[in-house]
């Protein structure tokens, strides 16, 4: 296959990212984030993805969404929800300074629950808030917290009242989305949920894809480009 040399080069690049050099070597810089070899190594098999990898990948999704044919995506960083839930709209008001989140189609909220990653997705076109958990736990209270945030943000930024009753809140069930089969892949699941959703594609991957997704993400983060 004419692609074979490309894949070979990719593979050796990915292996080198894991194996050569020092933990503090900088392998990628963008979105006001610096990714080191130590960060990249969380993408090794069964590694637990850290905030830097999660936020960098969300940055790549937002960047892609600026191209034609993609829904307009806004992504909060991984610290947003814990701040919101421990304070209120007031505590995160400045996070959207100069941004109207309501001008987007999709808002991604990656959520860090102590030792687990999940994803909340606001679809402003459909007026839905959906919660994606690869361990199948419900997040109805998380959906409600974010709806309340949207109401206050809309009131404050646009002087428009949202009608809460027009919104559908839903925690995705275990039969609706793929589930992880280990204790480590939640971060990769969140990134791939976000990837498929931000392309308006049905979520059709399985836990078997995880080792491949991890290696692919290494290349994408280093090259700051989604394949």
């Amino acid at each position: 296959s004419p692609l074979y040399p490309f894949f070979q080069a990719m593979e050796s690049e990915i292996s080198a990212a894991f194996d050569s050099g020092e933990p503090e070597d900088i392998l990628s810089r963008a979105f006001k984030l610096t990714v080191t070899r130590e960060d990249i190594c969380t993408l090794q098999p069964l590694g637990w993805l850290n905030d830097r990898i999660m936020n960098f990948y969300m940055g790549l999704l937002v960047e892609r969404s600026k191209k034609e044919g993609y829904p307009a995506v806004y992504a909060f960083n991984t610290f947003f929800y814990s701040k919101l839930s421990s304070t209120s709209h007031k505590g995160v008001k400045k996070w959207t300074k100069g941004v109207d989140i309501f001008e987007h189609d999709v808002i991604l909220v990656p959520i860090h629950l102590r030792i687990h990653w999940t994803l909340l997705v606001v679809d402003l076109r459909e007026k839905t808030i959906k919660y994606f958990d690869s361990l199948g736990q419900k997040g109805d209270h998380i959906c409600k917290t974010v709806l309340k945030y949207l109401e206050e943000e809309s009131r404050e930024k646009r002087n428009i009242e949202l009608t809460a009753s027009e919104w559908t809140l839903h925690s995705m069930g275990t039969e609706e989305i793929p589930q992880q089969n280990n204790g480590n892949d939640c971060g990769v699941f969140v990134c791939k949920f976000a990837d498929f959703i931000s392309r308006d594609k049905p979520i059709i991957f399985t836990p078997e894809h995880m080792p491949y997704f991890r290696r692919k993400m290494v290349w994408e983060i280093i090259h700051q480009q989604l394949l």
Side-chain angles (χ1 to χ4, degrees):
S1 152
L3 280 172
Y4 186 67
F6 172 71
F7 286 121
Q8 252 186 327
M10 240 176 112
E11 275 303 323
S12 53
E13 220 179 330
I14 292 162
S15 299
F18 288 147
D19 302 326
S20 54
E22 300 302 317
E24 62 277 5
D25 292 344
I26 291 168
L27 300 189
S28 199
R29 245 200 203 106
F31 322 119
K32 299 185 181 150
L33 291 168
T34 305
V35 173
T36 65
R37 190 178 311 281
E38 191 176 5
D39 298 321
I40 284 286
C41 282
T42 67
L43 283 160
Q44 284 176 307
L46 299 183
W48 205 83
L49 271 52
N50 67 12
D51 289 285
R52 245 180 236 172
I53 295 291
M54 300 295 285
N55 288 323
F56 202 98
Y57 195 78
M58 295 296 148
L60 290 174
L61 297 178
V62 168
E63 211 43 48
R64 180 179 66 190
S65 82
K66 295 171 184 171
K67 293 183 188 162
E68 205 170 322
Y70 290 95
V73 175
Y74 184 83
F76 280 106
N77 79 25
T78 53
F79 306 106
F80 169 78
Y81 182 76
S82 52
K83 181 76 173 163
L84 172 67
S85 58
S86 65
T87 56
S88 66
H89 180 265
K90 256 204 306 290
V92 290
K93 200 165 73 171
K94 292 203 177 93
W95 291 46
T96 50
K97 197 168 181 241
V99 179
D100 182 355
I101 58 173
F102 298 97
E103 283 176 358
H104 299 79
D105 298 316
V106 174
I107 300 171
L108 303 171
V109 188
I111 294 174
H112 187 192
L113 301 168
R114 287 193 302 284
I115 52 163
H116 184 46
W117 290 111
T118 64
L119 179 70
L120 182 137
V121 178
V122 179
D123 191 323
L124 290 155
R125 303 163 297 185
E126 309 275 338
K127 295 192 178 171
T128 60
I129 298 178
K130 289 182 181 169
Y131 184 69
F132 294 75
D133 185 338
S134 53
L135 285 178
Q137 294 158 330
K138 298 273 173 241
D140 300 348
H141 63 293
I142 295 176
C143 294
K144 284 180 188 143
T145 303
V146 171
L147 178 59
K148 187 162 184 278
Y149 164 80
L150 291 172
E151 290 180 79
E152 294 177 7
E153 181 78 356
S154 178
R155 193 175 298 134
E156 187 121 334
K157 291 278 169 78
R158 314 184 297 166
N159 219 352
I160 295 174
E161 289 292 332
L162 286 193
T163 311
S165 59
E166 291 175 355
W167 284 73
T168 306
L169 279 50
H170 176 62
S171 291
M172 303 297 276
T174 51
E175 67 299 331
E176 293 177 280
I177 53 170
Q179 299 290 294
Q180 67 192 88
N181 54 9
N182 60 33
N184 308 74
D185 280 337
C186 52
V188 188
F189 270 84
V190 164
C191 289
K192 298 319 285 185
F193 288 149
D195 169 27
F196 280 65
I197 290 160
S198 63
R199 289 183 285 145
D200 281 335
K201 294 284 181 238
I203 293 168
I204 49 168
F205 60 83
T206 69
E208 281 65 53
H209 289 96
M210 291 299 129
Y212 161 68
F213 283 157
R214 283 174 177 271
R215 292 185 81 77
K216 184 169 166 236
M217 283 172 72
V218 172
W219 193 92
E220 291 173 327
I221 288 170
I222 290 172
H223 289 269
Q224 299 167 22
Q225 176 194 347
L226 293 170
L227 288 168

